Structures are given as C-alpha cells and as structure tokens.
Amino acid sequence: MIRIQRLVLGLLFVVGLLLAAAPGPAKPRNVILLIGDGMGPGLVTAAGIRSGEPTHMERMSVTGLLRTAIADTLPLDSAAGGTALATGVSVPNGRVSTSADGAILPTILEKAQAAGKATGLVTSGSLVQVPAACFAAHVANRSAKKEIAAQLLDSRLDLLLGGGRKHFPKTEGWRLLDGIEQVGTLARGRTLGFFERPEVDEPAEPGSYLTTSSLVQGALSFLAPARKGFFLVVVHDQIDQAGHKQLPEAGLQQVLELDAAVGVCRRFAQESKDTLVVVSADHDTGNLTLESGTPSQRQVKLSYSTSRHTGNPVPVYVEGPGSGGFTGTYDQTELPRRILRTAGLER
C-alpha cells in the first residue's frame, strides 16, 4: 500500500511539472499597457510597505528599468515621455507624437488598430492631456487641446474613457455613456465615456468618482469579445499631481489605486492566458525618498526632494506571453518596440 501511495504521489508530481511546463501561446492575443504618470520606483516600494505585502506590480514575473535621460532635454515632460512610450521615438518636450520636424509618428495603438485589433484608451485624467493623448493624437504642442480632442474623435479607436468633457462640444459618431455600467461590448459600436474626478488635493466624498480599476474593468468587458484580440492603454494621472504638489501620502494612495487596476488586469490575463500586461511610467516626478520607518509594521516616512520631473529611471513590470523579452535596463523608447515585436505587430 505504501508503495502504491508513493507511486501515485510521484505520478501526480510529474503531471504537475508537465502542466507547469506546458507551452502557452507564442505571442499574446491581447496587450494591456498601464502607465503611472510620474511613478518612480520609490513609490512602488512604499506602496508595498504600506499595504503589508508586495504590490501586484512587484509580483509580476518580469521587472526592469527604463532610462528616461535619453533626449536632448532633461528631464522629460509628459508629452515627450508619453510619445516615447507610444511611438518609440525621442522628441523634444511639448510635442505629442510628432517629430521635431513635424512628421507624424505612428503609435503602437494605431499599429494595433491597423492589424485588426480592437483598441481602447482609458485615463483617470482628461483625455486631451498627455501622456494619454500621445497614443491617438499628433500635434506640435501639448497645449493644443481643441485639436487633440478633434483628433481623438476622428480616430478609429473603439473605446475612450476619461475626463475632459468641456473639450468635446460635439461627439458625433460616438455612443455616449451615462455610466460605466452601460459600457456593453464592441457590438454596441464606438463608445465614449466622460468620467471626471477631482485633483489630489481637492476634497471628495468616497464613491463620488470612478476609480481607475472600475474604468479598466468596464474597458476589459467591452474589448474582450474582439475576434482578433485587443490593445488597451491605461493612464493614471494623479501620481504626477501628487509629486508636483509634494504630497507624498497622496502619491502613495494614487500608486495603490493604480496597483488595484493592475490587479484587475492580472486576473484577466491569468484567466485568458493570452494577454500581455505591461506597467511602466512616462517619467519620475518628485524623486520620492523613503526616509525612515518600520516596514514590518507597515510604517514608512516619505518625502519628495523636488516638485519637478527628474531624469531618474522608471520601473517596468511585465507578465504574460513573451514577457521574458522585457527584462534588463534599456531606453524608454525601446519598450514600445519590444511590445510590438512580442505581439507580432511590427510593420
């Protein structure tokens, strides 16, 4: 009997190893790129300490660092950082997916669209703000919000969720949402939802605005039925706001909110088994420092050394098919190239 039990246990162990080693898809069918505007590595570390366990970002299978000190100007603004992530090209500050000589730079979202994938853009800030606008608009200056809004409406994206309603006086050709629960699926047609929220230092009642994870959940349910898969870009803006206003506790809470959205995406990816999830930042804001604390008791004292952007590297966290190709330290402009290559979207 003992021998039989040992044999059964041995067989179960071997089966487990075979299942664990079973190859997944060679390339992802879906891609989700999440961007923490202004999120440096220190904030992610602090978020893990405060929550008492590693963040979803820290639990992802591959980590790396992106060099942001790559352009002629140091540090990058959100237009140049967003353009680097969206197009793989380094441009002067202020430009939105256009080169220094005015040429239009195709974005990874546009390339996914051209390949037949459903596409979505979600932001916790205004849709006309950078870095979000860098994925679907092309202007010489980030302040051209009217032109950015017009280009977003003229884009062939399937889903737009974010703030900035005042910049969109006309919305012909789009199905407007009154609430995220109405998002439905792709079959409903091109969908636009405006969801405003206060600045980080403005008072707000709990539940008075939708969190990024709520917007992401709606976007995933909308895009999931896509026959050829989807490409979703998510931007969380308020981390940058906290850095500029030197509010470290607010910055920490904003990273935790983004991390909750990362958790939603990870669960979707683990169920679908064909989704690549990438998390990074356009630049670091504030150079957050962990001054002191007792991590075992979830205590940490934080401070910003500046209210401006820095040239510090930013983290990248990746999980899903092809994620092994994202490890290491490399230029920020390399990240979108690796995403395109991994997803088979290079042209």
Side-chain angles (χ1 to χ4, degrees):
M1 180 62 71
I2 294 176
R3 288 183 177 179
I4 293 175
Q5 289 176 335
R6 288 177 177 174
L7 179 61
V8 170
L9 289 173
L11 288 172
L12 289 174
F13 178 72
V14 172
V15 170
L17 289 176
L18 291 174
L19 289 174
K27 62 182 180 182
R29 181 170 174 271
N30 310 311
V31 178
I32 307 172
L33 171 62
L34 301 102
I35 299 168
D37 188 354
M39 182 178 72
L43 272 170
V44 181
T45 300
I49 293 174
R50 185 61 58 83
S51 61
E53 59 182 0
T55 61
H56 284 288
M57 289 179 267
E58 293 170 311
R59 282 179 268 172
M60 295 173 75
S61 57
V62 170
T63 62
L65 282 174
L66 302 184
R67 290 185 289 263
T68 64
I70 55 176
D72 292 334
T73 302
L74 182 71
L76 298 178
D77 72 350
S78 289
T83 295
L85 292 174
T87 71
V89 179
S90 176
V91 302
N93 283 344
R95 301 199 74 93
V96 177
S97 294
T98 57
S99 66
D101 60 5
I104 290 177
L105 302 173
T107 74
I108 53 177
L109 202 55
E110 292 166 340
K111 290 181 178 181
Q113 186 182 70
K117 291 189 180 295
T119 50
L121 179 61
V122 173
T123 176
S124 64
S126 171
L127 285 163
V128 299
Q129 287 180 344
V130 291
C134 297
F135 288 86
H138 307 270
V139 296
N141 194 294
R142 59 186 289 180
S143 63
K145 291 182 169 39
K146 183 178 180 180
E147 188 176 352
I148 291 173
Q151 291 188 22
L152 290 177
L153 292 179
D154 288 341
S155 74
R156 294 166 54 206
L157 297 184
D158 296 291
L159 181 68
L160 286 170
L161 301 177
R165 178 70 177 88
K166 65 182 181 181
H167 299 289
F168 297 83
K170 298 180 180 180
T171 55
E172 287 87 351
W174 291 80
R175 180 175 69 98
L176 284 179
L177 300 179
D178 290 325
I180 194 65
E181 68 280 355
Q182 298 177 350
V183 68
T185 64
L186 275 167
R188 302 292 300 276
R190 293 197 308 165
T191 298
L192 171 61
F194 292 110
F195 301 96
E196 312 290 346
R197 63 185 287 170
E199 298 279 318
V200 293
D201 57 346
E202 295 177 352
E205 293 294 326
S208 61
Y209 61 87
L210 288 179
T211 63
T212 298
S213 56
S214 296
L215 294 175
V216 166
Q217 189 66 65
L220 291 175
S221 67
F222 180 89
L223 295 168
R227 186 171 58 86
K228 292 186 177 181
F230 65 81
F231 198 122
L232 173 64
V233 175
V234 180
V235 175
H236 190 82
D237 267 342
Q238 286 70 23
I239 302 169
D240 183 63
Q241 293 178 20
H244 284 302
K245 297 179 180 183
Q246 296 194 295
L247 301 171
E249 285 298 319
L252 179 59
Q253 292 305 313
Q254 294 304 318
V255 170
L256 288 171
E257 182 179 336
L258 172 63
D259 193 60
V262 174
V264 171
C265 295
R266 291 186 72 216
R267 287 189 288 273
F268 178 90
Q270 288 161 3
E271 292 175 4
S272 71
K273 302 188 187 309
D274 59 1
T275 300
L276 178 70
V277 181
V278 181
V279 187
S280 192
D282 52 349
H283 56 75
D284 166 67
T285 302
N287 190 33
L288 184 92
T289 301
L290 284 68
E291 290 188 354
S292 60
T294 310
S296 62
Q297 298 179 22
R298 300 167 61 172
Q299 296 176 355
V300 59
K301 181 181 178 182
L302 309 171
S303 67
Y304 288 110
S305 65
T306 178
S307 62
R308 305 179 65 184
H309 296 182
T310 78
N312 293 342
V314 294
V316 59
Y317 308 97
V318 190
E319 194 166 76
S323 57
F326 290 82
T327 189
T329 300
Y330 42 97
D331 288 351
Q332 188 178 41
T333 50
E334 177 64 19
L335 181 61
R337 299 171 193 162
R338 295 192 185 194
I339 292 174
L340 291 173
R341 187 162 56 247
T342 302
L345 297 173
E346 287 182 315
R347 295 181 63 187

